[in-house]
Amino acid sequence: MSSFPLILSSPSGAGKTTIARELLRRRTDLGYSVSCTTRRPRPAESDGTDYFFLTREAFLAARERNEFAESADVHGDLYGTLRREVDRILAGGQHVVMDIDVQGARQLAGVYQESVLVFILPPDSRVLLERLKARGTESTGSLDRRLKSAIAELEAIRMYHYVVVNDALDRAVGAISEIVDVEDMRTSRIARLGERIGELVAGLEGELKNIQRSS
Ligand code: ADP
Ligand code: 5GP
């Protein structure tokens, strides 16, 4: 079975970070691509685990060196996915979970065409705002920017293969886990499919000969 990037996008506050964390806890066939950002760390975040926190100069220099598979300006900060992160996880045989915005998803799906794109929706607008406020990480200006980009991001939903509503966390994580299972069964992802079918056909031909001989 061949591994693929699993791209999760959503309006800020809909719960993709929480979902990604829970998916990684439940499944050993998933790895997380840690992104780079110029945004400041939130109180509970640590460098190298949640993000690689870079200065703007360091980010632009890495971009100049072509280290990013995609990068984008999101809510006024720069974010980017490192090629080496994605390739390391895929080479280890795991699917790569990424939490990226719609601009990044579009670029990444162009580079890794086997990507699976999942858009996560909040149950409704009131819940989204409540979750953003409850997280307590945004100033009023930042909240305003995030709601404006939420409206713009929703317009890109048709680019995604699947839509999952994050109502109850357990159900939403279960739904995305099922998507991974189903995608694993895609004909194009099955390892040695031709060889395995060849063996099956040879076996069936042998059985057929036995039946014909004994009749
Ligand atoms: P995002 O990464 O999409 O910006 P987060 O994962 O940070 O969103 O979630 C925003 C807030 O909503 C967090 O405080 C998180 O604990 C909470 N949250 C996420 N999913 C749910 C859910 N299904 N039910 C209730 N609260 C949730
Ligand atoms: P936050 O600042 O809340 O962690 O993330 C803000 C937005 O940036 C979210 O929509 C998140 O998906 C997106 N994001 C996080 N990492 C990346 C990345 O590497 N590339 C892109 N394009 N967006 C990212």
Side-chain angles (χ1 to χ4, degrees):
M1 180 192 68
S2 57
S3 42
F4 51 84
L6 175 68
I7 300 177
L8 307 180
S9 304
S10 79
S12 184
K16 61 197 167 305
T17 311
T18 310
I19 288 177
R21 217 173 274 151
E22 185 57 22
L23 272 171
L24 288 155
R25 205 182 59 77
R26 288 191 195 179
R27 299 184 65 123
T28 55
D29 60 346
L30 303 178
Y32 185 69
S33 161
V34 179
S35 293
C36 295
T37 183
T38 60
R39 145 164 105 57
R40 283 166 174 269
R42 294 178 184 141
E45 288 179 331
S46 61
D47 189 44
T49 303
D50 298 287
Y51 283 103
F52 296 110
F53 293 99
L54 303 183
T55 61
R56 210 170 172 89
E57 293 67 37
F59 189 102
L60 293 174
R63 191 159 74 180
E64 197 60 31
R65 290 192 299 270
N66 204 22
E67 288 183 18
F68 295 123
E70 64 75 31
S71 65
D73 184 319
V74 190
H75 321 130
D77 282 303
L78 299 173
Y79 292 79
T81 304
L82 290 165
R83 287 179 199 282
R84 64 166 186 269
E85 277 285 288
V86 181
D87 293 340
R88 173 182 61 77
I89 298 165
L90 290 177
Q94 288 178 306
H95 305 307
V96 192
V97 179
M98 316 185 193
D99 161 349
I100 62 180
D101 88 315
V102 299
Q103 309 167 71
R106 189 176 286 116
Q107 293 172 47
L108 211 106
V111 179
Y112 297 89
Q113 294 187 357
E114 68 278 29
S115 299
V116 176
L117 284 76
V118 180
F119 200 94
I120 297 164
L121 284 178
D124 58 46
S125 54
R126 191 184 43 80
V127 170
L128 179 67
L129 190 60
E130 274 169 12
R131 284 189 191 161
L132 261 178
K133 283 186 175 163
R135 194 169 70 185
T137 51
E138 314 305 324
S139 63
T140 310
S142 164
L143 210 54
D144 188 79
R145 265 200 306 282
R146 280 165 191 264
L147 290 183
K148 281 192 183 125
S149 27
I151 295 167
E153 292 199 321
L154 287 167
E155 284 167 13
I157 200 162
R158 286 182 205 289
M159 180 178 92
Y160 288 74
H161 301 121
Y162 299 94
V163 174
V164 172
V165 177
N166 181 18
D167 36 25
L169 184 63
D170 190 54
R171 197 209 60 81
V173 173
I176 299 179
S177 193
E178 282 172 21
I179 291 170
V180 175
D181 289 337
V182 167
E183 286 291 336
D184 273 341
M185 290 186 275
R186 249 187 213 282
T187 317
S188 59
R189 302 197 205 277
I190 311 283
R192 299 175 41 249
L193 183 61
E195 212 178 303
R196 286 158 71 178
I197 296 304
E199 284 164 12
L200 191 57
V201 168
L204 289 174
E205 284 171 348
E207 297 294 344
L208 205 58
K209 270 192 201 134
N210 289 340
I211 292 170
Q212 286 166 348
R213 235 181 267 131
S214 61
S215 64

